[in-house]
Amino acid sequence: MTPERTPLPRTELADLLTDAAQSVSAILTAEYPTAANRSYLHPVLGALSAGPRVACELNDRLEAFVADEPRPTTPASLFTLASYAAALGWLTESLAELTTSIDQICTRAGIPTEPRAPDVAAPDGAEQEGDFDFAFSALELAAIRTAAEAAGLTPVDYVEVLSESLLAASRITDACMEISSGLLEDATYVRDAASEHVWVGDGPDSLPALVRSLLARMEAAE
């Protein structure tokens, strides 16, 4: 007969959530070398390269946690499990959305088809520059023309795909920040609870921060 395992103390449960928060936040500082002909993807390649690895690491840690506690039954362990699972699900969904956005950007840029010749632009890029929705300085316009030429795109098309890339980067940044802050909030609650009987209420305030955030997002989407 297998002896029952001692439930993990709250400090270790809190450390599990804290470590996960640090791993998720590290996605935002990841760097990935970007070739000049794909410079418009630079805002998203760091997260694209680091995100799946972090998701796999979190999944491995979750499996190890469940293996250590085959059937978490204490309020603290159940609270931790709910928070961790919510974080992993949210991150996985956000990375899937990032991948879809990058696929759309690549399609818009003509990857993997042959890039368009840069000489399709009007002389000195005057016509394309006139179509910009933003006001650029002469120095910025020169940089755009150089980057667009290296990517085989017109200046207008380059600005469009770069804008889409920056928008995708903003979305994954917001998601990672919310996930990380939620994990840290839950870790603090688990560590500093006055007793072992955390998460025993019936109202929504008794749920982990990440679960509450996910529920709020679902309600907003309806």
Side-chain angles (χ1 to χ4, degrees), residues 204 207 210-220:
L207 296 174
L210 281 173
V211 176
R212 297 199 306 271
S213 296
L214 286 173
L215 290 175
R217 284 162 54 89
M218 292 173 61
E219 291 178 357

Side-chain angles (χ1 to χ4, degrees), residues 27 30-32 34 38-52 95 97-99 101-103 105-106 161-173:
I27 294 174
E31 293 288 341
Y32 190 85
T34 309
R38 299 290 182 261
S39 60
Y40 50 85
L41 290 175
H42 179 72
V44 293
L45 288 185
L48 181 65
S49 65
L95 290 174
E97 292 174 352
L98 175 65
T99 301
S101 295
I102 293 175
D103 285 342
I105 292 168
C106 290
V161 292
L162 179 60
S163 298
E164 293 173 7
S165 184
L166 289 169
L167 181 60
S170 175
R171 287 195 292 262
I172 190 65
T173 296

Side-chain angles (χ1 to χ4, degrees), residues 77-165:
S77 63
L78 288 169
F79 186 96
T80 300
L81 178 61
S83 176
Y84 203 102
L88 180 57
W90 190 341
L91 178 62
T92 301
E93 179 185 358
S94 298
L95 290 174
E97 292 174 352
L98 175 65
T99 301
T100 298
S101 295
I102 293 175
D103 285 342
Q104 293 171 346
I105 292 168
C106 290
T107 299
R108 177 71 180 82
I111 300 173
T113 59
E114 290 295 322
R116 287 165 289 178
D119 59 1
V120 297
D124 298 326
E127 181 180 343
Q128 279 73 18
E129 290 164 16
D131 293 334
F132 284 138
D133 293 329
F134 310 101
F136 295 106
S137 68
L139 186 62
E140 289 169 335
L141 287 173
I144 290 171
R145 286 197 297 269
T146 299
E149 183 177 1
L153 299 170
T154 66
V156 168
D157 286 344
Y158 183 87
V159 169
E160 288 182 356
V161 292
L162 179 60
S163 298
E164 293 173 7
S165 184

